[in-house]
Amino acid sequence: QVQLVESGGGLVQAGGSLRLSCATSGRTVSSYVMGWIRQVAGKEREFVAAISRSGLIYYADSVKGRFTISRDNAKNMVYLQINSLKPEDTAVYYCAAARTVVLTPGGYDYWGQGTQVTVSS
């Protein structure tokens, strides 16, 4: 059973930073492709970033240069560092796991409950 629990969201001013964390069960981090997906209220989910089992990293064009995905296999944790936050980054951010590298939300097999990020202007 793969379990994912996000934390670290909150209310932040534009230009600020947040680090989102995803606690995973067992050896999920080293066994799966780990991704972050976000969803703006009323819109479809949007791929943000992913890290493969070998450490390859992928970002959506909209977040390149501002978001950094990382993982700690020993702690079974995945992180998303978000810098230079913009109001349009306001969304629920989900941690997700997939068996292969996918850059679309539909390809992920397991999901956390999400953490809300709100950026004020």
Side-chain angles (χ1 to χ4, degrees), residues 4-77:
L4 308 172
V5 180
E6 303 94 334
S7 62
L11 174 63
V12 63
Q13 288 189 331
S17 298
L18 280 175
R19 188 176 82 154
L20 307 183
S21 299
C22 174
T24 74
S25 58
R27 298 172 62 182
T28 300
V29 169
S30 59
S31 301
Y32 288 84
V33 175
M34 301 303 301
W36 286 94
I37 289 91
R38 67 185 180 185
Q39 186 170 25
V40 176
K43 296 188 177 181
E44 294 185 353
R45 291 181 176 180
E46 173 192 20
F47 168 81
V48 173
I51 183 166
S52 74
R53 284 180 289 267
S54 63
L56 294 177
I57 290 175
Y58 307 82
Y59 294 106
D61 288 342
S62 60
V63 306
K64 282 180 181 176
R66 298 189 299 121
F67 288 25
T68 303
I69 188 172
S70 62
R71 68 177 187 215
D72 185 329
N73 289 356
K75 296 182 178 179
N76 296 314
M77 297 290 293

Side-chain angles (χ1 to χ4, degrees), residues 53-116:
R53 284 180 289 267
S54 63
L56 294 177
I57 290 175
Y58 307 82
Y59 294 106
D61 288 342
S62 60
V63 306
K64 282 180 181 176
R66 298 189 299 121
F67 288 25
T68 303
I69 188 172
S70 62
R71 68 177 187 215
D72 185 329
N73 289 356
K75 296 182 178 179
N76 296 314
M77 297 290 293
V78 182
Y79 305 100
L80 186 69
Q81 177 69 38
I82 311 175
N83 297 327
S84 302
L85 277 157
K86 305 176 181 179
E88 52 263 43
D89 294 320
T90 294
V92 176
Y93 285 73
Y94 296 93
C95 176
R99 293 180 174 85
T100 61
V101 174
V102 287
L103 305 186
T104 58
Y108 285 82
D109 304 294
Y110 303 97
W111 294 77
Q113 83 288 349
T115 186
Q116 176 71 47

